[in-house]
Amino acid sequence: MAELGIGLIGTGFMGKTHALAWRGARAVMGGDLPEARLELLCDTPRDKADTMARQFGFARATDDWRALVRDPRVDVVSITTPNGLHHEMACAALKAGKHVWCEKPMALTLAEAEEMAEVARAAGTMTMVGYNYIRNPAFRHAQKLIAEGRIGRVVHVRGWVDEDYQADPDLPWTWRARLAEAGLGALGDLGCHLVSLMVGLCGPIQSLVADAQIIHETRPLPDGTGRGAIENEDTATALLRFASGAHGSLSTSRSAWGRKNKLDWEVHGTKGMICFAQERMNELQIYLNEGPKAEQGFRTVLSSPDHPPFGAFVPAPGHQLGFGDLKTIEAAELMAAIRDGVQAYPSMQDALGFERVIHAIADSARRDCARITL
Amino acid sequence: MAELGIGLIGTGFMGKTHALAWRGARAVMGGDLPEARLELLCDTPRDKADTMARQFGFARATDDWRALVRDPRVDVVSITTPNGLHHEMACAALKAGKHVWCEKPMALTLAEAEEMAEVARAAGTMTMVGYNYIRNPAFRHAQKLIAEGRIGRVVHVRGWVDEDYQADPDLPWTWRARLAEAGLGALGDLGCHLVSLMVGLCGPIQSLVADAQIIHETRPLPDGTGRGAIENEDTATALLRFASGAHGSLSTSRSAWGRKNKLDWEVHGTKGMICFAQERMNELQIYLNEGPKAEQGFRTVLSSPDHPPFGAFVPAPGHQLGFGDLKTIEAAELMAAIRDGVQAYPSMQDALGFERVIHAIADSARRDCARITL
Amino acid sequence: MAELGIGLIGTGFMGKTHALAWRGARAVMGGDLPEARLELLCDTPRDKADTMARQFGFARATDDWRALVRDPRVDVVSITTPNGLHHEMACAALKAGKHVWCEKPMALTLAEAEEMAEVARAAGTMTMVGYNYIRNPAFRHAQKLIAEGRIGRVVHVRGWVDEDYQADPDLPWTWRARLAEAGLGALGDLGCHLVSLMVGLCGPIQSLVADAQIIHETRPLPDGTGRGAIENEDTATALLRFASGAHGSLSTSRSAWGRKNKLDWEVHGTKGMICFAQERMNELQIYLNEGPKAEQGFRTVLSSPDHPPFGAFVPAPGHQLGFGDLKTIEAAELMAAIRDGVQAYPSMQDALGFERVIHAIADSARRDCARITL
Amino acid sequence: MAELGIGLIGTGFMGKTHALAWRGARAVMGGDLPEARLELLCDTPRDKADTMARQFGFARATDDWRALVRDPRVDVVSITTPNGLHHEMACAALKAGKHVWCEKPMALTLAEAEEMAEVARAAGTMTMVGYNYIRNPAFRHAQKLIAEGRIGRVVHVRGWVDEDYQADPDLPWTWRARLAEAGLGALGDLGCHLVSLMVGLCGPIQSLVADAQIIHETRPLPDGTGRGAIENEDTATALLRFASGAHGSLSTSRSAWGRKNKLDWEVHGTKGMICFAQERMNELQIYLNEGPKAEQGFRTVLSSPDHPPFGAFVPAPGHQLGFGDLKTIEAAELMAAIRDGVQAYPSMQDALGFERVIHAIADSARRDCARITL
């Protein structure tokens, strides 16, 4: 396969990162990847689509996503629209025989996500859900160290994912506060990323008990007519038990002042510990019970070409990767999957597992911390 | 009251910190405190008591703690023996009319702690339980900022307390692994300190749901005859609801490689956040939603004379306090309480509240994460 | 100008970052930039040029850089070859009427750099030298704060730039150790970047006094026939006086174990201080003598859309930029310069100023710390 | 020698730390040290001396330092008065046959310091100058690692010592600004501490070249009659060459906003690097070129009982030492020296070496960065 025709739906935060990733993936990761032909871009209104197609370098533009998913010159569809639209778009693209790169969370409800995974299975094309943080070379190195037994048996794990975009009590009410339109709150926006990391480090979660909280119960309506209710959670915290026997916990907040992209975890093993903080995404903290006690300490390991695929971006250690680079790796892995006909990770089936966890957390919280088995 | 006769039971880790605190408190905190006359030290065997009395500067030594608590020249009894001995010694000292400074946790069981608090109430003397971390000027400054509303309404709080003294799977079995002899595990050693901090920041805990874990189920018996069972928890994690309406969580581990004295917390408010890490005990991290967005960030505030009673130790900012200095503050506050006849914080009644929480956590964990109301 | 024909010479570390920057600049920074048409790529041997052209998406390949700089469909030439080749290539490209983006340092000797600046002046085309670190939104925000007087009068500045690529005593001798072939050592590789930052913060350097050091005087010859002499400096340190009256110092080492990309500075003002560490390139440390003393501290400000042009990459704070993104900004600024016919910064004339400083440092060191006036 | 009679002159910042150190040293470090009998305290006016003697636990008070240094029950004299008084007091005490613990810097001028060292040599009693930072267990561990060759040959070293007590341009003029009354500025207050650390790490300094700067040339006179000139340096920076062949630099500022007790250094070796920051005085940063490259990084080693004499204070790692504890170690080492009749480090002769360096720096700066050989 010499080239792939790319169709992109959406040009916001994620839409732009997809566009840049498609532009960069092959140049970064190597010429044995197919060439990404930027074929068709969809946004509304049409003139915005035209403008962004010019900026991003797409050959054509449309305001009709249905046309895009059916377009014969489009091989892969990037879906970066609001979460409530993913389900319909992805199913349509899959049914049209397209490969799909869909942003997370897959859908507003678990039922929709399950249907998407089923449609993907039936379609047999390649799918990828946008869990970009698991692409980080630092994260992959942590996985490698764990797999090699460097920290012994993993016994405990903790994770946190916080931002502050809903911390200000004076922010106006928006549709994002409604369960029916936006689905989960912090769990859907942030929590599912953390689940992807924790599962990547410790394997599947077997059961959990969780609590959640709405901090700002109402917010001023934008039209000044009063206050609207906030229906989805600002924070959620869960006690986790993993299939491996490890225990752990996770916590998320969208109202945590000062946290811009906190997505941190620590894995406790019987021989050592590994910690990570996303706001310093090019660093891994590693403690090993090795060597003289007087010299033991957490090591700040800077990402480097010793942590693939870092070296594909820069051959020099300490010259950092950025957020966008994670999306470039993601695109490249989907391209390789399509080239090889071998499903990449996480497919929609894989990602469904992450999304089951966030819905289980919400469910447990709704039922006063009842134990939910996954 | 010109002077206080001090009786000290125990000369280990905590015994030494008490001795140093008694020696330093008045010199540091000012001459309006009574003078601490180092009267009688108890340890076994007797020659060890003699040696340590000489080193610490006590006038007399004994190997009979009952004699010490009855000694007419002893006004205050410092109890720094293993936890299982606190109950009997403290009750005897209180019944003999002494003031008591007792290390934490108060007792192995909640019933014993309750009895101690009751005996203290009846005795009417001054009591103090060794929750030293709440003495930190940095912590007190956090409390002050919260009380002044600088971070708005407190809505969420998280805490962790970890060490690694039980992380090594090859450590031998000791009596500390037995519930009957040692009581709780990580919760008793570490968790109760964290509770004292979280309650100090957010007020009383109303209910909780918790899980716990024994990581190393058996350890080699020291006599080489096989392996002994570990009966108390290596880790525990709880979902907390505070009386104020705030939610939170806490987690503790005694098997967390690399953590030497992690005792960290973060308080989320509607206008800002404050974070603290005990391993950097002279720093507070403060984020306030104030001023231009482009200059907002967590501030690393170094402890200084602007954070009383730091200046009593050193008048220069950035010249750190150490762990022992916290005990000196503690001793001084007990001395002031005795001088003034006004109970200091935390008395045995106050500390009972902290210990109720750790027992509730253990109880919830034992009952598969049942909700416990305090 | 609708589009620019790009010619790239070299496909190593810097060659790849140029290729990626050309691919990404317009998509990131906006459609009012010209489109970069990837026209011609030069490397040797020819098949490597072909391979890399395919990977990077260039239309044509050549192994003849002279053909490239003369090619009528090439408007801009990216020069990313070893430093000793810059002079000849840049002069040829400029004389052929091309715009030039040349990596730093401009040349091995100051005389060559001066000639390049003169040829550029005569050519009248746009030039840009690859001082990428001054593109960092965090750095620009520091410049803005200084310009606004937020830290008062700048009185003192310190900088360091260290790596460890020559720290290992067992590394073999290479041509890079020869003055004639490689020019300066740490000063040329690293020091000139630091100069670009310090001048950007404090203005021109007026005079200096410096020392330098060769740590490993010889290294094993690769052919096993003995040891070859190291002729250029491993470290250099200078005492600086700025035209503004500020004092300062800078130090560089290529043999500093553990430093992967240390490029740190601190600017002392009469009202505050700003610090930066390149290994955490998305953070600025800002201390202002404002507000209550008890809450003063260095603030860790994470790069965000409040620090242009960060938001062109990601609209969310705390989602980091990487090293490559700095080159993308650099390319975009050169494209804008060409579009507008207004020279961008730093042109070859500007960059000559930086390179004068590193040669002055080497000169002072050679003359036992004689004062050199610039 | 069962006990030592202590005479303390001065009760300010340093006076208090001496008092606390004398009270704590034997209790901390062990009963084989002599007992410190707190005999006589001198301050003016007399009632202040009385008050402080009561607070600190001294038996008697005086306002006549000459009486104190002659007092037959005084064996050791602690001198903690303003620097300009050290010379006269120390010489008198030494001539009266007393041991002397004198704060740094020894004197306002090098000539006076030389005389003190000579008088001390003639007296034959034990002397100690208050270079407390070299007592830090973390620093001593660094020295041990260097001595064992763990970082290879030391090739480069950098140090900084900054505070901000003279950063505010609006502070009034005081006598401390006069060379005749206060001697050196930042070099005397701060720089000499840094020299003690750098010499401790790298051995003697052979020659140097330095620059200095007065940032605030005048300050408002306290009586409102105008502005007074500042005669001593706010900052100084030096290029160092060590006898070992290592190069280095040091810089000091008393006008560095945000720096409360920055006293940082980094030692570059051929096999590794060690770094330290006083504001986090219980941490050492160690990088060793050992083990897999992918796991190399700076280790944050927390002070612990593996770093003597930390364990004498607390047997638990991560339970920090504070500034005062350094003085306790210092007192204990002087007590041991007196007990054993073996001069401790740094005696007045040793300290003279440090003070020669700061005067050489001032001298070089005065002579426009002339090279000074020590």
Side-chain angles (χ1 to χ4, degrees):
Chain A
M1 180 177 305
E3 61 174 37
L4 288 171
I6 309 298
L8 169 63
I9 315 179
T11 62
F13 179 0
M14 280 299 126
K16 191 171 195 175
T17 65
H18 279 231
L20 293 170
W22 287 123
R23 289 188 72 82
R26 187 171 185 251
V28 170
M29 301 297 283
D32 55 348
L33 286 182
E35 189 180 336
R37 178 173 31 76
L38 305 185
E39 186 58 39
L40 185 52
L41 179 145
C42 174
D43 206 341
T44 55
R46 175 59 196 260
D47 61 347
K48 181 177 180 195
D50 288 335
T51 300
M52 297 315 293
R54 258 195 314 278
Q55 177 173 340
F56 292 167
F58 277 75
R60 294 181 287 140
T62 178
D63 57 3
D64 176 1
W65 68 263
R66 289 172 208 278
L68 183 146
V69 301
R70 282 192 310 257
D71 193 283
R73 285 185 53 80
V74 166
D75 300 303
V76 195
V77 179
S78 270
I79 301 174
T80 70
T81 48
N83 303 339
L85 301 174
H86 293 179
H87 171 260
E88 188 179 10
M89 290 175 174
C91 289
L94 289 164
K95 286 175 181 166
K98 306 303 187 191
H99 307 291
V100 171
W101 184 13
C102 182
E103 272 309 311
K104 48 55 58 186
M106 291 163 70
L108 299 190
T109 67
L110 190 55
E112 285 176 339
E114 283 168 342
E115 190 187 341
M116 289 162 80
E118 176 51 28
V119 170
R121 196 197 53 73
T125 57
M126 299 294 133
T127 57
M128 169 85 76
V129 185
Y131 283 94
N132 37 259
Y133 295 109
I134 59 176
R135 314 295 170 188
N136 189 334
F139 178 74
R140 290 186 170 178
H141 193 64
Q143 290 183 303
K144 177 168 177 284
L145 290 172
I146 292 169
E148 292 171 356
R150 292 293 300 281
I151 62 164
R153 178 168 58 97
V154 169
V155 291
H156 200 80
V157 60
R158 297 179 187 143
W160 307 267
V161 55
D162 292 344
E163 296 195 7
D164 64 5
Y165 60 92
Q166 290 292 311
D168 190 338
D170 299 330
L171 289 176
W173 185 93
T174 74
W175 62 270
R176 293 179 162 278
R178 297 184 71 164
L179 280 172
E181 285 171 76
L184 298 174
L187 286 166
D189 286 353
L190 309 175
C192 57
H193 272 304
L194 179 56
V195 171
S196 76
L197 295 167
M198 294 180 83
V199 169
L201 295 163
C202 302
I205 294 167
Q206 193 169 65
S207 78
L208 59 81
V209 161
D211 205 358
Q213 174 189 21
I214 295 172
I215 290 175
H216 306 292
E217 300 198 345
T218 62
R219 289 188 176 277
L221 291 171
D223 61 6
T225 60
R227 299 182 69 86
I230 306 300
E231 297 173 4
N232 47 25
E233 77 286 349
D234 282 306
T235 81
T237 308
L239 307 177
L240 309 172
R241 292 189 191 159
F242 290 80
S244 70
H247 280 214
S249 58
L250 69 78
S251 191
T252 183
S253 174
R254 63 184 182 187
S255 300
W257 274 120
R259 302 306 186 191
K260 303 306 178 187
N261 191 14
K262 183 187 172 82
L263 176 52
D264 301 359
W265 49 260
E266 58 185 41
V267 180
H268 302 220
T270 53
K271 295 182 183 170
M273 192 183 296
I274 312 177
C275 306
F276 173 81
Q278 175 62 29
E279 289 174 352
R280 290 175 172 169
M281 65 172 268
N282 289 278
E283 300 180 14
L284 213 52
Q285 298 285 332
I286 304 174
Y287 185 99
L288 300 175
N289 178 29
E290 293 176 358
K293 286 280 176 199
E295 275 91 73
Q296 288 187 5
F298 277 93
R299 284 180 226 169
T300 304
V301 177
L302 300 183
S303 291
S304 81
D306 294 304
H307 311 106
F310 181 97
F313 292 87
V314 261
H319 291 66
Q320 293 93 335
L321 301 196
F323 176 82
D325 297 327
L326 304 182
K327 296 307 270 190
T328 301
I329 299 171
E330 196 168 90
E333 297 196 358
L334 177 55
M335 291 166 84
I338 295 169
R339 177 195 62 200
D340 301 338
V342 176
Q343 179 59 55
Y345 183 87
S347 69
M348 287 192 173
Q349 284 86 343
D350 299 322
L352 180 61
F354 308 151
E355 306 202 6
R356 279 193 204 287
V357 175
I358 56 172
H359 287 282
I361 292 172
D363 198 23
S364 175
R366 218 174 290 122
R367 294 161 53 196
D368 190 22
C369 306
R371 179 167 299 283
I372 308 286
T373 300
L374 288 151
Chain B
M1 179 179 306
E3 62 174 38
L4 288 171
I6 309 297
L8 169 63
I9 314 178
T11 62
F13 179 2
M14 279 299 127
K16 192 171 194 176
T17 64
H18 278 231
L20 293 170
W22 286 123
R23 290 187 71 83
R26 188 172 184 252
V28 170
M29 302 297 283
D32 55 349
L33 286 182
E35 188 181 338
R37 177 173 31 77
L38 305 185
E39 186 58 38
L40 186 53
L41 179 146
C42 174
D43 206 340
T44 56
R46 175 60 195 259
D47 61 346
K48 182 179 179 193
D50 288 335
T51 300
M52 298 312 294
R54 259 195 313 277
Q55 177 172 340
F56 293 168
F58 277 74
R60 293 181 289 139
T62 178
D63 57 0
D64 178 1
W65 68 264
R66 289 173 209 277
L68 183 146
V69 300
R70 281 191 312 256
D71 193 284
R73 286 185 53 81
V74 166
D75 300 304
V76 196
V77 178
S78 269
I79 300 174
T80 71
T81 49
N83 303 340
L85 301 174
H86 293 178
H87 171 259
E88 187 179 11
M89 290 173 173
C91 290
L94 290 164
K95 286 174 182 166
K98 308 303 187 192
H99 309 291
V100 172
W101 184 12
C102 183
E103 273 309 311
K104 48 58 57 188
M106 291 164 70
L108 299 191
T109 66
L110 190 54
E112 284 176 340
E114 283 168 343
E115 190 187 342
M116 290 162 78
E118 175 52 28
V119 170
R121 195 197 55 71
T125 56
M126 299 296 132
T127 57
M128 169 85 77
V129 185
Y131 283 94
N132 38 259
Y133 294 110
I134 59 177
R135 314 296 170 186
N136 189 335
F139 178 75
R140 290 186 171 179
H141 193 65
Q143 288 183 303
K144 177 170 177 283
L145 290 171
I146 291 169
E148 292 171 356
R150 293 292 300 280
I151 62 165
R153 177 168 57 98
V154 170
V155 290
H156 200 80
V157 60
R158 296 177 187 146
W160 308 267
V161 55
D162 293 343
E163 296 196 8
D164 64 4
Y165 60 92
Q166 290 291 312
D168 190 339
D170 299 330
L171 289 176
W173 184 93
T174 73
W175 62 269
R176 294 179 162 279
R178 297 183 71 163
L179 280 171
E181 286 171 74
L184 299 175
L187 286 166
D189 287 352
L190 309 175
C192 56
H193 272 306
L194 179 57
V195 171
S196 76
L197 295 167
M198 294 179 83
V199 169
L201 295 163
C202 301
I205 294 167
Q206 193 169 67
S207 76
L208 59 82
V209 161
D211 205 358
Q213 173 189 22
I214 294 173
I215 289 174
H216 306 292
E217 300 199 344
T218 63
R219 288 188 177 278
L221 292 171
D223 62 4
T225 60
R227 299 183 70 86
I230 305 301
E231 297 173 5
N232 47 25
E233 77 287 350
D234 283 306
T235 81
T237 308
L239 307 177
L240 308 172
R241 292 188 191 159
F242 290 80
S244 70
H247 280 215
S249 59
L250 70 78
S251 191
T252 183
S253 173
R254 65 184 182 187
S255 300
W257 275 121
R259 301 307 186 189
K260 304 306 178 187
N261 191 15
K262 182 187 171 82
L263 176 52
D264 301 0
W265 49 260
E266 57 184 42
V267 180
H268 303 219
T270 53
K271 295 183 184 171
M273 191 183 297
I274 311 177
C275 305
F276 174 80
Q278 175 62 30
E279 289 174 353
R280 291 176 173 169
M281 64 172 268
N282 289 278
E283 300 180 12
L284 214 51
Q285 299 285 333
I286 303 173
Y287 185 99
L288 300 175
N289 178 29
E290 293 176 359
K293 287 279 177 199
E295 276 91 72
Q296 287 187 5
F298 276 93
R299 283 179 227 172
T300 303
V301 177
L302 299 183
S303 291
S304 80
D306 294 305
H307 311 106
F310 182 98
F313 293 87
V314 263
H319 290 67
Q320 294 94 336
L321 300 197
F323 176 82
D325 297 327
L326 303 183
K327 296 307 272 189
T328 300
I329 299 171
E330 195 168 271
E333 297 196 358
L334 177 55
M335 291 166 84
I338 295 169
R339 178 195 62 200
D340 301 340
V342 177
Q343 179 60 55
Y345 183 86
S347 69
M348 286 191 174
Q349 285 86 341
D350 299 322
L352 181 61
F354 307 151
E355 307 202 7
R356 278 192 205 289
V357 175
I358 57 172
H359 286 283
I361 291 171
D363 198 24
S364 175
R366 218 174 290 121
R367 294 161 53 195
D368 191 22
C369 306
R371 179 166 299 282
I372 309 285
T373 300
L374 287 151
Chain C
M1 178 178 306
E3 63 174 37
L4 288 172
I6 310 298
L8 169 63
I9 315 179
T11 62
F13 179 3
M14 279 299 127
K16 191 172 195 176
T17 65
H18 278 231
L20 293 170
W22 286 123
R23 290 187 70 82
R26 187 172 185 253
V28 170
M29 302 298 282
D32 55 348
L33 286 182
E35 189 180 336
R37 178 173 30 77
L38 305 185
E39 185 60 36
L40 185 52
L41 180 145
C42 174
D43 206 340
T44 56
R46 175 60 197 260
D47 60 349
K48 182 178 180 192
D50 288 335
T51 299
M52 297 314 293
R54 257 195 313 277
Q55 177 172 341
F56 293 167
F58 277 75
R60 293 180 288 139
T62 176
D63 57 2
D64 177 1
W65 69 261
R66 290 172 206 279
L68 184 146
V69 302
R70 282 192 311 257
D71 193 283
R73 286 185 53 80
V74 167
D75 301 301
V76 195
V77 178
S78 270
I79 301 174
T80 71
T81 48
N83 303 339
L85 302 174
H86 293 178
H87 171 260
E88 188 178 11
M89 290 174 173
C91 291
L94 290 163
K95 287 174 180 166
K98 309 302 188 191
H99 308 292
V100 171
W101 184 12
C102 182
E103 272 311 309
K104 46 58 55 186
M106 291 163 71
L108 299 191
T109 67
L110 190 55
E112 285 176 340
E114 282 166 342
E115 190 185 343
M116 290 161 79
E118 176 52 27
V119 171
R121 196 198 52 72
T125 57
M126 299 296 132
T127 57
M128 169 84 77
V129 185
Y131 284 94
N132 36 261
Y133 295 110
I134 59 176
R135 313 297 170 186
N136 189 334
F139 178 75
R140 290 185 169 179
H141 192 65
Q143 289 183 303
K144 178 170 176 282
L145 291 172
I146 292 169
E148 291 171 355
R150 291 293 299 280
I151 62 164
R153 177 168 58 96
V154 169
V155 290
H156 199 81
V157 61
R158 298 178 185 143
W160 308 268
V161 56
D162 294 342
E163 295 195 10
D164 64 4
Y165 61 91
Q166 290 292 310
D168 190 340
D170 299 330
L171 289 176
W173 185 94
T174 73
W175 62 268
R176 293 180 161 277
R178 297 185 72 163
L179 280 171
E181 286 171 76
L184 299 175
L187 285 165
D189 287 351
L190 309 175
C192 56
H193 272 304
L194 179 56
V195 170
S196 75
L197 295 167
M198 293 179 84
V199 169
L201 295 164
C202 301
I205 294 166
Q206 193 168 67
S207 77
L208 58 84
V209 161
D211 205 359
Q213 174 189 20
I214 295 173
I215 289 173
H216 306 291
E217 300 198 345
T218 63
R219 289 187 176 278
L221 292 170
D223 61 5
T225 60
R227 299 183 69 85
I230 305 300
E231 298 174 3
N232 48 23
E233 76 288 348
D234 284 305
T235 81
T237 307
L239 306 177
L240 308 173
R241 292 188 191 160
F242 290 80
S244 69
H247 280 214
S249 59
L250 70 79
S251 190
T252 182
S253 173
R254 64 183 182 187
S255 301
W257 274 120
R259 302 307 185 190
K260 304 308 176 184
N261 191 13
K262 182 186 170 82
L263 177 51
D264 300 0
W265 49 260
E266 58 185 42
V267 180
H268 302 220
T270 53
K271 295 182 183 171
M273 190 182 296
I274 311 178
C275 306
F276 174 80
Q278 175 62 30
E279 289 174 353
R280 291 176 172 168
M281 64 172 268
N282 289 278
E283 300 179 14
L284 214 51
Q285 298 285 332
I286 304 174
Y287 185 99
L288 300 175
N289 178 30
E290 294 176 357
K293 286 280 177 199
E295 275 90 71
Q296 287 187 5
F298 276 94
R299 282 180 228 172
T300 304
V301 177
L302 300 183
S303 291
S304 80
D306 294 304
H307 311 107
F310 180 98
F313 293 87
V314 262
H319 290 67
Q320 294 94 335
L321 300 196
F323 176 82
D325 296 327
L326 304 181
K327 297 307 273 188
T328 301
I329 299 171
E330 196 168 271
E333 297 195 359
L334 177 54
M335 291 166 84
I338 296 169
R339 178 195 60 200
D340 301 339
V342 176
Q343 180 60 55
Y345 183 87
S347 70
M348 286 190 174
Q349 286 85 342
D350 300 320
L352 181 61
F354 308 150
E355 305 201 8
R356 279 194 204 288
V357 175
I358 57 172
H359 287 283
I361 291 171
D363 198 23
S364 175
R366 217 175 291 122
R367 294 160 54 196
D368 191 21
C369 307
R371 178 166 299 283
I372 309 286
T373 300
L374 286 151
Chain D
M1 177 177 307
E3 62 173 39
L4 288 171
I6 309 299
L8 169 63
I9 315 178
T11 62
F13 178 3
M14 279 298 127
K16 191 171 195 176
T17 66
H18 279 230
L20 293 170
W22 286 123
R23 289 188 71 83
R26 188 172 185 251
V28 170
M29 302 297 282
D32 56 347
L33 286 181
E35 189 181 335
R37 179 173 30 77
L38 305 185
E39 186 59 38
L40 186 52
L41 180 146
C42 173
D43 206 340
T44 55
R46 173 62 195 257
D47 61 348
K48 182 178 179 193
D50 287 335
T51 300
M52 298 314 293
R54 257 195 315 276
Q55 177 172 340
F56 292 169
F58 277 74
R60 293 181 288 140
T62 178
D63 57 2
D64 177 1
W65 69 263
R66 290 173 207 278
L68 183 145
V69 301
R70 283 191 312 257
D71 192 283
R73 285 184 55 78
V74 167
D75 300 303
V76 195
V77 178
S78 269
I79 301 174
T80 70
T81 48
N83 303 339
L85 302 174
H86 292 178
H87 171 259
E88 187 178 12
M89 289 174 175
C91 290
L94 290 164
K95 286 172 181 167
K98 307 303 187 190
H99 308 292
V100 172
W101 185 12
C102 182
E103 272 309 309
K104 47 57 54 186
M106 290 164 71
L108 298 191
T109 67
L110 190 55
E112 284 176 340
E114 283 167 342
E115 190 186 343
M116 289 161 80
E118 176 52 27
V119 171
R121 197 198 51 73
T125 56
M126 299 296 132
T127 57
M128 169 85 77
V129 185
Y131 284 95
N132 37 258
Y133 295 109
I134 59 176
R135 313 297 170 187
N136 189 335
F139 177 74
R140 290 185 170 177
H141 193 64
Q143 289 182 304
K144 178 170 175 281
L145 290 172
I146 292 168
E148 291 171 355
R150 292 293 299 281
I151 62 164
R153 177 168 59 98
V154 169
V155 292
H156 199 81
V157 60
R158 297 178 187 144
W160 308 267
V161 56
D162 293 344
E163 295 195 10
D164 63 5
Y165 60 92
Q166 289 293 312
D168 189 340
D170 299 330
L171 288 176
W173 185 94
T174 73
W175 61 270
R176 294 179 163 277
R178 297 184 72 163
L179 279 172
E181 285 171 77
L184 299 175
L187 285 166
D189 287 351
L190 309 175
C192 57
H193 272 305
L194 179 56
V195 171
S196 75
L197 295 167
M198 294 180 83
V199 169
L201 295 164
C202 301
I205 294 166
Q206 193 169 66
S207 76
L208 59 82
V209 161
D211 205 359
Q213 173 190 21
I214 295 173
I215 289 174
H216 306 291
E217 300 198 345
T218 62
R219 289 186 177 278
L221 292 171
D223 61 5
T225 60
R227 299 183 69 86
I230 306 299
E231 299 174 3
N232 47 23
E233 77 287 349
D234 284 307
T235 81
T237 308
L239 306 177
L240 308 173
R241 293 188 191 162
F242 290 81
S244 70
H247 279 214
S249 59
L250 70 78
S251 191
T252 183
S253 173
R254 63 183 182 187
S255 301
W257 274 120
R259 302 306 186 190
K260 304 308 177 184
N261 191 14
K262 183 187 170 83
L263 177 52
D264 300 359
W265 49 259
E266 59 185 42
V267 180
H268 302 220
T270 53
K271 295 183 182 169
M273 189 183 297
I274 310 178
C275 306
F276 174 80
Q278 175 63 30
E279 288 175 352
R280 291 177 173 168
M281 65 172 267
N282 289 278
E283 299 180 14
L284 214 52
Q285 299 284 334
I286 304 173
Y287 185 99
L288 300 175
N289 178 30
E290 294 176 357
K293 287 279 177 199
E295 276 91 71
Q296 287 187 6
F298 277 93
R299 283 180 229 171
T300 304
V301 177
L302 300 183
S303 291
S304 80
D306 294 305
H307 311 106
F310 180 97
F313 292 87
V314 263
H319 291 67
Q320 293 93 334
L321 299 196
F323 176 80
D325 297 326
L326 304 183
K327 296 306 271 190
T328 300
I329 299 171
E330 195 167 272
E333 297 195 357
L334 178 54
M335 291 165 85
I338 295 170
R339 178 195 60 200
D340 300 339
V342 177
Q343 179 60 55
Y345 183 87
S347 70
M348 286 191 172
Q349 286 85 343
D350 300 321
L352 181 61
F354 307 150
E355 305 201 8
R356 280 194 203 287
V357 175
I358 56 172
H359 287 283
I361 292 172
D363 199 24
S364 176
R366 218 175 289 122
R367 293 160 54 196
D368 191 22
C369 308
R371 179 167 298 282
I372 309 286
T373 300
L374 287 152

